[in-house]
Amino acid sequence: MDRFDIRGGTRLAGRLTVKGSKNAALPLLAAALLTDGPVVLRDVPDLADIRGMFKLLTELGCKVDYTPAESADAAGGVVRIQVTDPTISHARYEIVRTMRASICTLGPMLAKRGSARISLPGGCAIGERPVDLHLRGLSALGADITLDSGDITARTPKANGKAGRLRGARIFLGGPFGSTVLGTANVMCAAVLAEGTTVIECAACEPEIVDLADMLTKMGANIAGAGSPRVTIQGVARLNGVDHRVIPDRIEAGTYMCAALMTNGDITLDNCPADALMAHIDRLQHAGAKFTVDEQMDPMRTLCRVQGAGTRGIQPIEVTTQPHPGFPTDLQAQLLASLTLADGNSVITERIFTERFLHVAELTRMGASIFRQGPTVIVSGVRRLVGAPVMASDLRASACLVLAGLAAEGTTIVNRVYHLDRGYERMEDRLRSLGAQIERVNDKEEVGVAAAQGVG
Ligand code: EPZ
């Protein structure tokens, strides 16, 4: 199992190209199931989750050819997907278990193949993560949904004894925590091939949904309002193949922005989706970071320079995670890491995944002072963090620990970096190119130590 050894204390400086977005690419890849034509996606990052989706699509009868980027500084590789066998429609537990985003295949498979069977994803390190809203949306479109042996089976209504089409409907997709991103993606993908008009109310407004709608529109779908809470879809009979470039990863960009603040560094991001990061940039500015954004460029692919707070130091702030355009839950841990070194008390409230605080105990081991009550933490800034062996069991919490290690005195060992590899391509190489002292070490003994401690 790999770990990172980090010697902290270096100010990071230099330039990086933001990779294509993992969370945009996953539903886009699944949407390839909606057409018989070839789907070509560009700027696809080389990540464990993306490779997992390739594997699933291959099982579901697709030919998948991926060419990784030639240069480490490119935004991503190119994938070509062609459905060759549309008769298979079972996403097995073995795959769903390792990659929750497998649920993205449910809507496309159901709409195009007339039925879909997919293992019900379990909870994960950041909480329970139900899919009731996905199912509610698909039922409203006329799908017959059953749950058997841990699998969801969905079927379109019968027409003349055969699988017919879904029917457009008015659907309210809000839940106790607001909208659902992958739920919106699933219902949108199902509705594009339904008969008639679908209105999704309380749709997720995330940029990844806008990217999906853009690609589906290029394929011949008729979608209005993507990026707003009300999306209207006129169903069409078929979709064409497409050639599409994935939007840059706002969470990767936001993580490197935190690295600049935390190390009092100076990082310039190319291909930066600043327009999708307004809440994050606002919070970082309040915490003292300085931003210079090229206003002449496409705001979703701009040049963005981020400088640390200088001699003034990091200022305490209040942050509440919310659905887009609010502050994203996927950057809560990274911002929290930065605020451990602020000059005063910060308050962070997590409103999307209220248990998403796996990083808190680990940061405390590095000398951070954090008090948690339910979904809120108070972070009392300390003068310094001290390196320690740490481990987290989810992607963004691991990124937070890497950031803490970069700013800490001494050596930090971040164990189990396979979580990071799910969402950050070559993070250690990229940080090293900015001056960080970070190495990937393959340490099989860590497994034994973790097992002896009962961690798992
Ligand atoms: C997506 O997950 C992202 N994953 C997550 O990124 C991200 O944290 C999340 O959106 C929120 O922004 C991908 O895009 C692959 P949700 P998703 O459905 O769509 C509740 C990362 O680190 N809910 O928008 O699964 C849910 O429990 C990951 O890259 C229901 O109650 O999240 C949560 O409280 C992790 N019922 C809230 O809604 C449902 O049926 C939002 O979840 C679905 C969700």
Side-chain angles (χ1 to χ4, degrees):
M1 215 176 286
D2 288 359
R3 65 174 208 230
F4 283 169
D5 288 2
I6 306 168
R7 273 201 74 78
T10 313
R11 290 177 65 175
L12 299 191
R15 193 161 170 152
L16 282 182
T17 301
V18 179
K19 300 280 177 192
S21 161
K22 164 183 87 84
N23 287 349
L26 289 166
L28 294 177
L29 288 164
L33 293 166
L34 285 166
T35 172
D36 299 324
V39 170
V40 176
L41 287 176
R42 300 177 191 276
D43 288 1
V44 178
D46 194 358
L47 298 169
D49 272 14
I50 297 288
R51 297 256 174 193
M53 185 57 91
F54 293 166
K55 192 169 162 209
L56 177 56
L57 290 176
T58 306
E59 281 212 9
L60 295 175
C62 300
K63 187 169 181 310
V64 179
D65 295 303
Y66 181 56
T67 313
E70 277 176 16
S71 118
D73 207 32
V78 180
V79 64
R80 185 179 191 280
I81 303 157
Q82 172 72 62
V83 174
T84 52
D85 179 358
T87 60
I88 316 157
S89 49
H90 183 194
R92 293 179 304 119
Y93 179 62
E94 285 65 34
I95 295 196
V96 177
R97 179 171 66 85
T98 57
M99 193 195 41
R100 235 191 143 272
S102 309
I103 192 74
C104 300
T105 57
L106 180 60
M109 244 189 320
L110 172 68
K112 184 71 169 70
R113 301 184 177 184
S115 76
R117 185 172 152 207
I118 177 161
S119 267
L120 190 59
C124 71
I126 65 175
E128 276 182 29
R129 308 195 67 188
V131 292
D132 55 310
L133 298 171
H134 301 229
L135 304 185
R136 194 208 289 172
L138 297 175
S139 301
L141 293 173
D144 174 29
I145 296 178
T146 51
L147 186 63
D148 185 25
S149 312
D151 285 352
I152 304 160
T153 303
R155 289 193 181 79
T156 56
K158 286 247 178 345
N160 303 324
K162 290 198 290 193
R165 285 171 71 187
L166 296 168
R167 293 181 306 264
R170 298 181 74 83
I171 302 168
F172 180 77
L173 214 51
F177 302 96
S179 52
T180 160
V181 181
L182 295 183
T184 301
N186 255 329
V187 175
M188 192 187 267
C189 283
V192 288
L193 288 183
E195 238 175 302
T197 305
T198 297
V199 178
I200 307 175
E201 191 69 272
C202 202
C205 303
E206 270 66 5
E208 293 76 19
I209 294 297
V210 177
D211 200 28
L212 176 62
D214 284 349
M215 184 177 95
L216 292 170
T217 302
K218 282 193 236 164
M219 293 167 80
N222 194 337
I223 303 172
S228 80
R230 176 179 287 194
V231 178
T232 305
I233 302 158
Q234 309 281 349
V236 295
R238 68 187 56 79
L239 295 176
N240 310 313
V242 69
D243 189 326
H244 182 79
R245 185 176 174 204
V246 181
I247 54 168
D249 195 319
R250 61 192 170 108
I251 308 302
E252 193 204 33
T255 302
Y256 289 113
M257 289 174 179
C258 287
L261 175 65
M262 210 169 170
T263 66
N264 196 18
D266 186 347
I267 300 176
T268 298
L269 297 170
D270 262 313
N271 197 37
C272 178
D275 206 40
L277 280 163
M278 300 270 281
H280 187 57
I281 291 175
D282 172 75
R283 290 296 78 198
L284 289 181
Q285 281 173 327
H286 277 83
K290 191 172 159 232
F291 282 80
T292 316
V293 178
D294 188 330
E295 304 290 349
Q296 305 303 313
M297 296 174 74
D298 175 352
M300 278 299 284
R301 297 184 186 275
T302 189
L303 195 66
C304 176
R305 180 177 178 194
V306 195
Q307 293 165 282
T311 48
R312 187 166 167 247
I314 301 174
Q315 297 304 302
I317 51 170
E318 286 174 20
V319 190
T320 301
T321 66
Q322 288 171 328
H324 192 76
F327 186 89
T329 172
D330 291 347
L331 283 168
Q332 175 258 109
Q334 300 90 316
L335 184 61
L336 194 156
S338 313
L339 296 174
T340 59
L341 292 174
D343 186 14
N345 296 338
S346 299
V347 182
I348 299 187
T349 303
E350 174 56 67
R351 290 216 192 280
I352 308 294
F353 295 111
T354 50
E355 294 300 315
R356 196 176 200 178
F357 286 114
L358 287 168
H359 38 292
V360 164
E362 300 298 296
L363 287 173
T364 306
R365 300 186 62 246
M366 297 177 71
S369 172
I370 305 170
F371 171 76
R372 176 180 168 199
Q373 190 155 50
T376 297
V377 296
I378 296 169
V379 186
S380 306
V382 293
R383 282 184 170 276
R384 58 187 194 125
L385 295 174
V386 183
V390 287
M391 173 169 69
S393 309
D394 92 87
L395 166 59
R396 309 303 172 187
S398 303
C400 142
L401 297 177
V402 171
L403 294 181
L406 292 169
E409 286 176 9
T411 301
T412 297
I413 297 174
V414 180
N415 290 300
R416 293 194 177 192
V417 295
Y418 64 81
H419 291 295
L420 269 169
D421 294 336
R422 289 182 43 217
Y424 293 90
E425 190 178 327
R426 304 179 197 223
M427 192 185 214
E428 72 281 23
D429 295 345
R430 285 158 77 67
L431 288 171
R432 233 186 349 258
S433 78
L434 299 172
Q437 296 184 57
I438 176 169
E439 296 296 332
R440 179 183 289 262
V441 178
N442 184 271
D443 190 347
K444 295 199 173 88
E445 282 175 17
E446 286 304 320
V447 184
V449 174
Q453 291 171 341
V455 182

